[in-house]
Every structure is written in C-alpha cells, then in structure tokens.
Amino acid sequence: MKSIVIYSSLTGNTKQVAEAITSALPKGTPCVSMKELPSDIASYDLVFAGFWVDKGTANKEARDVLATLHNPHIALFATAGVPPQMAHAKESLINAANCLPYLGTFICQGKVDPKVIEMMYKMFPKGHSHGQSADRDARHKQAAVHPNEDDCKAAQEFAKDILTKLN
C-alpha cells in the first residue's frame, strides 16, 4: 500500500505530529507540507492529512487541499490550542472531516502563537468566550507544552491503528 503524510502547519505543531505519524509507517513514507504537495497525490492509496484548527475547522490551505483528495483511504489528524477532549476540538475535527471518506481521526493540543493570543485579547473584551480570563490564560499555558512526547506517541498509535484497519 502506497502511503503519504501531508500537513499544513503554522507554528510547527502539526508538522511535529506529522513526523511522529510518519515514524510509525513503513520506512520511506513521504511526509510533506501541503505547500509542496506532489503532483502524483492521486496515486497514493492512503493519505494521512493534517491541519491546524482555525475557526472551528481545518485552516484554509488544508480545506482547499482536502477538497481535492479522492484517494481510497484518508486519515485526518489535527492540532488545536485546546485540549482534545473539549467539544470545540472534537467539533473542529468533525467539521474538517465532513464529506471525506476517511478511516479515522486524531487530534492533539498544540501551542497557540502568542501573537494570536494578543490579537484575540485585543479583539474580545474580558468576559467574552475568546477574551482574556484566568481560565483562558491557564489553557494557553497548558497548550504551550504541546505537542509533547505523549501526544507524539498517541499519533504513532493512531497511524498503527489505521494500518491495522487496512490489513
């Protein structure tokens, strides 16, 4: 089975998870940025496609690429600035996966760019769900250490599970 890992990464979080997934796949499996998508992408039987969450779904670059994929098997993974068990993270993954023939999904927390945090705090007043609060500050602090070794191990297990489903 010919496999590839593709990703869109803003801060390096999704790239880190993509590399972890690739390490669990057969040696020589390509891992490339969506900016460098190979022209023969349709020739791959299995595509692991990763993105960073933006406004409750995949970022625009990833959405544009996902819309063009018609490979037999697609597995999605993502990084978000919130813990993966939060409803927002789960809904974001579902929104991105909508209408794709995917085999599975994976999401882990990732650090949020400090410039984005600053912008959000300026845009939204305290008390707003995206405004500054003790809870939001704590979540950003927690996110700053992700993806971590456990996240990468979980990504590797995700990749192995996908391969098991196909065999």
Side-chain angles (χ1 to χ4, degrees):
M1 175 168 299
K2 188 174 173 185
S3 302
I4 188 170
V5 178
I6 62 174
Y7 63 88
S8 175
S9 190
L10 181 66
T11 61
N13 296 330
T14 312
K15 179 180 181 185
Q16 184 179 348
V17 174
E19 290 168 348
I21 288 171
T22 303
S23 74
L25 299 174
K27 188 173 175 87
T29 299
C31 179
V32 299
S33 166
M34 289 184 184
K35 288 177 173 57
E36 301 163 355
L37 205 61
S39 58
D40 68 342
I41 190 71
S43 71
Y44 288 89
D45 303 303
L46 172 59
V47 176
F48 285 86
F51 57 89
W52 52 278
V53 171
D54 185 33
K55 299 180 188 98
T57 189
N59 63 292
K60 178 158 178 21
E61 175 187 46
R63 285 193 319 269
D64 291 346
V65 170
L66 292 175
T68 68
L69 296 179
H70 302 290
N71 306 72
H73 305 290
I74 300 168
L76 298 179
F77 63 97
T79 58
V82 297
Q85 63 273 20
M86 286 188 67
H88 177 69
K90 293 175 184 177
E91 290 164 6
S92 297
L93 199 54
I94 291 167
N95 291 339
N98 204 9
C99 300
L100 279 176
Y102 61 96
L103 287 173
T105 58
F106 173 82
I107 190 167
C108 75
Q109 193 166 16
K111 59 191 136 307
V112 179
D113 186 328
K115 291 176 186 173
V116 172
I117 296 169
E118 183 181 339
M119 177 195 68
M120 296 294 278
Y121 286 177
K122 285 180 182 177
M123 282 178 59
F124 299 103
K126 288 185 178 186
H128 185 279
S129 62
H130 294 292
Q132 188 171 13
S133 67
D135 180 54
R136 184 159 286 280
D137 288 342
R139 277 193 286 171
H140 289 308
K141 185 176 179 180
Q142 177 189 19
V145 299
H146 292 275
N148 61 23
E149 186 177 334
D150 290 340
D151 296 324
C152 290
K153 285 179 183 175
Q156 291 169 336
E157 288 304 313
F158 165 68
K160 290 175 186 175
D161 288 346
I162 293 295
L163 291 178
T164 300
K165 283 182 183 179
L166 292 174
N167 291 329

